[in-house]
Amino acid sequence: MNSNFTTMSPRTLRSDLYSFTNQEKRTVPPLVISVLASLLDRTISRNERDIAIKCDLKDERIAAFESCKVLDMSLQAFLERVFRYARVTPPVYLVAYVYMDRLCQFNQGLQIVSTNVHRLLVTSIMVASKFVEDLNYCNSYFAKVGGLSTEELNSLELNFLFLMGFRLNVSPSVFESYCSHLEREVSFGGGYQIERCLRNYMCGVEIESKEPERREPKNQLTRVL
């Protein structure tokens, strides 16, 4: 086992998921990023092992999320990039996960695979940010973060909303149920492995209203998705 890893507890994860702390002061990514990346990695592996599972590319809205090539970046690294430049709060990642789950439930022809996951992630996180947060970045900024053009992300957002049937509300009880699901993922097998630098992170600071400083994402992802 890598010596740079330690155990994340369900209690620490829950504390993080309910934190609306000003993200500008965070020096490490939210704990939920590691759990979400792991869940999606396993989902993709399962879907791509089953040759019977294929996305319905006849549906133009579903096909819009397909990329011509797989991004050479792990989901963990991609989510950390979103954190680095967009600084959305931890609850946004959970709501984005709820959206992706709903999207697959509402559209049986949609399966999360390596060719669509990055587009689905950046779109769901952007929409979740608009739903959860009072202050958020515009579509053109999220497009830069995700390596898309503004026109592409605008189109993906529209397709996303129609595929969701505009059912974006996440009640407290639904939020809590998904939080519990992630906690079970963490507690399974004695704990979830995360980088040791996260061990000293403690949240629970009151909400701050300071507007985040705008960051310009590097262009390493431009036009690759």
Side-chain angles (χ1 to χ4, degrees):
M1 182 179 300
N2 192 323
S3 60
N4 292 327
F5 281 68
T6 188
T7 300
M8 177 200 302
S9 71
R11 178 179 297 180
T12 308
L13 174 64
R14 173 173 289 272
S15 178
D16 198 49
L17 284 171
Y18 279 89
S19 170
F20 283 87
T21 306
N22 188 331
Q23 301 302 294
E24 291 300 306
K25 295 185 177 181
R26 296 190 71 146
T27 58
V28 294
L31 307 180
V32 65
I33 282 180
S34 295
V35 185
L36 182 56
S38 177
L39 281 170
L40 290 174
D41 279 332
R42 295 207 310 272
T43 298
I44 291 169
S45 296
R46 182 175 62 250
N47 287 343
E48 293 183 344
R49 279 198 307 268
D50 189 343
I51 59 175
I53 295 180
K54 293 183 179 179
C55 289
D56 182 11
L57 299 184
K58 294 180 180 179
D59 186 321
E60 293 183 359
R61 296 196 187 280
I62 291 176
F65 289 91
E66 285 292 313
S67 176
C68 59
K69 61 181 180 180
V70 177
L71 180 64
D72 186 21
M73 178 181 288
S74 69
L75 293 183
Q76 175 87 23
F78 186 77
L79 287 168
E80 288 177 354
R81 174 183 169 85
V82 173
F83 162 75
R84 186 179 308 116
Y85 294 113
R87 295 287 174 156
V88 295
T89 54
V92 169
Y93 297 99
L94 182 61
V95 172
Y97 177 53
V98 175
Y99 287 169
M100 292 179 73
D101 192 30
R102 282 183 184 174
L103 205 62
C104 293
Q105 291 179 34
F106 296 162
N107 303 274
Q108 296 301 310
L110 174 63
Q111 300 294 333
I112 299 175
V113 291
S114 55
T115 53
N116 65 19
V117 64
H118 295 91
R119 288 186 174 207
L120 286 170
L121 267 176
V122 71
T123 306
S124 60
I125 289 172
M126 181 182 73
V127 173
S129 174
K130 292 179 180 182
F131 183 81
V132 173
E133 300 180 309
D134 293 327
L135 296 175
N136 44 64
Y137 289 114
C138 60
N139 286 24
S140 60
Y141 186 77
F142 270 104
K144 288 183 179 180
V145 173
L148 299 164
S149 69
T150 303
E151 292 75 17
E152 285 174 314
L153 188 56
N154 287 344
S155 178
L156 290 177
E157 181 183 29
L158 189 60
N159 287 322
F160 183 90
L161 293 173
F162 274 101
L163 288 170
M164 287 280 289
F166 292 86
R167 285 170 283 189
L168 301 179
N169 184 57
V170 177
S171 67
S173 61
V174 170
F175 186 94
E176 171 63 24
S177 68
Y178 276 83
C179 181
S180 297
H181 172 64
L182 295 191
E183 284 185 305
R184 287 193 295 272
E185 287 292 321
V186 167
S187 60
F188 178 74
Y192 188 86
Q193 301 304 316
I194 61 171
E195 293 195 24
R196 180 167 296 174
C197 64
L198 299 184
R199 179 174 52 187
N200 297 322
Y201 173 72
M202 297 295 292
C203 59
V205 181
E206 293 183 358
I207 301 173
E208 298 185 33
S209 59
K210 180 181 177 182
E211 185 173 359
E213 178 184 357
R214 185 182 180 89
R215 289 177 171 78
E216 282 301 323
K218 297 178 181 178
N219 293 325
Q220 65 189 65
L221 293 184
T222 302
R223 306 294 298 170
V224 299
L225 297 181

